[in-house]
Amino acid sequence: SVQHIYYSTNARGYMLIMVFSQIVIYQALAWLRKPGIPFTSGNGSLSKADVLCLGVLCFLGTWTVPTFALFEVSLGLYFGGSMILKRPNKACIQILLTLFVCLCGFYVQYFVFIAKDMLKMGMINSSADANKLSDLLPGVLNEWIHPFEPVLALLIILAVMGMIHLYRENRDACYLLATTIVVPPVCATFLCASGVLSAVPHARVFIYLQPFFFMAVAAGTYFVTQKMVDMPAKSHRLATFIYAIFFVPLVYFTTIELNGQLYKERRERES
C-alpha cells in the first residue's frame, strides 16, 4: 500500500495505531473462537494477560493519536451490544471495564497532563484546512483506497459482498468488523455536527481503519473466486485468470503513485 509507505516516512504515529488496532481485533476474533469464552452464552472469562494486553494497546493508541479513542468506542459498542442482545458473561464485562478505564486514562492524558495551549495546537494540526464536514466521510474513504480511485466501485462491491459472506459464515466476526469500520468516522462526524469538536479532523487520522476495509474486500474476493472454483473443471483456468487480472490494475496504480509521488519527493529531499 502506497499510503503505508507514505505515512511510515512522514507520520509514523498513524502506522503505530494501525498495528495496535489490528492486534486488538485479532485478539477479539481469537476470543470469539475460543470454546471456553462463548459470547453467545456461557460464563467464561479472559485471562489477566488478555485484559492487560487490551488495556496497554488502547492506552498506547490514544497516547499516539487521540482519535484512537473512537476505536475504543467502537469496541465498547460491539461488546456492549453483545452483552445486551445476548446472554451476559464475564468476558464482555471485563472488556467493557477495561475500555472504560482506558477512556478515563485518555481524559487524564489529554485534559490533565497536557497544557490547554499545547492541546489546542495539537487539535489544529490534526484538523483539515478549510475542510467541510460533508467532506469527512468521502475523505476517509479516499484515504483508504488511494491510489486505487479508478477501481473504487469494484472495491466497494467486493467489500459489500465480503460483509454478506462473513454474515453468513460468522455473524459475530461480521458485526465486529462492521462496527470497527463504521463507528469511528461516523462518531467523528456526529461530534463535529453537535459542536463537541470545533474543527473537522483530517481524514488521514482514520487511515488505521484501512486494513479492516480491505479485509472485507478480501472476503468478497474470496467469495467470488470460490464461486468460480465451483464451476466445471474446464472453467478453473478462466477463474484463475480472472482472479489474477483483478490485481493488475492495483499493481499498475501503485507503481504510478510510487514513481510519480513518493520517489519524486524523496529525490527532492536528497537534492
Side-chain angles (χ1 to χ4, degrees), residues 92-108:
C92 280
I93 295 174
Q94 286 175 304
I95 293 171
L96 290 173
L97 287 176
T98 302
L99 293 173
F100 176 74
V101 171
C102 290
L103 288 172
C104 290
F106 162 77
Y107 177 83
V108 173

Side-chain angles (χ1 to χ4, degrees), residues 154-209:
L154 176 61
L155 294 177
I156 292 178
I157 291 172
L158 288 173
V160 171
M161 294 179 67
M163 295 304 295
I164 294 173
H165 175 64
L166 284 175
Y167 180 81
R168 292 172 179 173
E169 296 292 325
N170 188 332
R171 291 189 180 184
D172 285 326
C174 176
Y175 292 149
L176 176 61
L177 190 61
T179 304
T180 303
I181 294 172
V182 172
V183 169
V186 170
C187 274
T189 302
F190 174 78
L191 292 174
C192 292
S194 60
V196 176
L197 291 178
S198 57
V200 179
H202 199 288
R204 66 172 178 260
V205 301
F206 297 103
I207 186 65
Y208 69 94
L209 299 174

Side-chain angles (χ1 to χ4, degrees), residues 205-223:
V205 301
F206 297 103
I207 186 65
Y208 69 94
L209 299 174
Q210 183 218 44
F212 306 116
F213 173 76
F214 274 96
M215 286 179 190
V217 173
T221 307
Y222 173 80
F223 173 73

Side-chain angles (χ1 to χ4, degrees), residues 20-221:
F20 297 152
S21 63
Q22 288 183 74
I23 295 174
V24 170
I25 295 300
Y26 174 82
Q27 284 294 102
L29 291 173
W31 295 334
L32 291 175
R33 293 192 299 266
K34 227 170 186 179
I37 311 177
F39 284 90
T40 53
S41 62
N43 208 24
S45 61
L46 302 180
S47 66
K48 293 181 180 179
D50 286 334
V51 173
L52 180 63
C53 178
L54 175 63
V56 169
L57 289 172
C58 288
F59 175 84
L60 292 175
T62 54
W63 186 251
T64 305
V65 179
T67 50
F68 194 81
L70 297 176
F71 173 74
E72 298 175 15
V73 171
S74 68
L75 291 177
L77 288 175
Y78 170 75
F79 288 108
S82 296
M83 194 171 67
I84 293 172
L85 299 176
K86 302 174 182 179
R87 183 177 174 181
N89 56 67
K90 292 181 180 178
C92 280
I93 295 174
Q94 286 175 304
I95 293 171
L96 290 173
L97 287 176
T98 302
L99 293 173
F100 176 74
V101 171
C102 290
L103 288 172
C104 290
F106 162 77
Y107 177 83
V108 173
Q109 286 172 340
Y110 286 94
F111 297 96
V112 176
F113 289 160
I114 298 179
K116 292 183 178 180
D117 292 341
M118 185 179 295
L119 178 62
K120 185 178 180 180
M121 183 184 301
M123 294 294 291
I124 293 175
N125 291 335
S126 64
S127 301
D129 297 332
N131 190 27
K132 297 180 181 178
L133 182 57
S134 59
D135 296 332
L136 179 59
L137 294 180
V140 170
L141 181 59
N142 183 71
E143 283 286 334
W144 290 350
I145 57 95
H146 183 75
F148 309 131
E149 291 89 346
V151 292
L152 171 62
L154 176 61
L155 294 177
I156 292 178
I157 291 172
L158 288 173
V160 171
M161 294 179 67
M163 295 304 295
I164 294 173
H165 175 64
L166 284 175
Y167 180 81
R168 292 172 179 173
E169 296 292 325
N170 188 332
R171 291 189 180 184
D172 285 326
C174 176
Y175 292 149
L176 176 61
L177 190 61
T179 304
T180 303
I181 294 172
V182 172
V183 169
V186 170
C187 274
T189 302
F190 174 78
L191 292 174
C192 292
S194 60
V196 176
L197 291 178
S198 57
V200 179
H202 199 288
R204 66 172 178 260
V205 301
F206 297 103
I207 186 65
Y208 69 94
L209 299 174
Q210 183 218 44
F212 306 116
F213 173 76
F214 274 96
M215 286 179 190
V217 173
T221 307

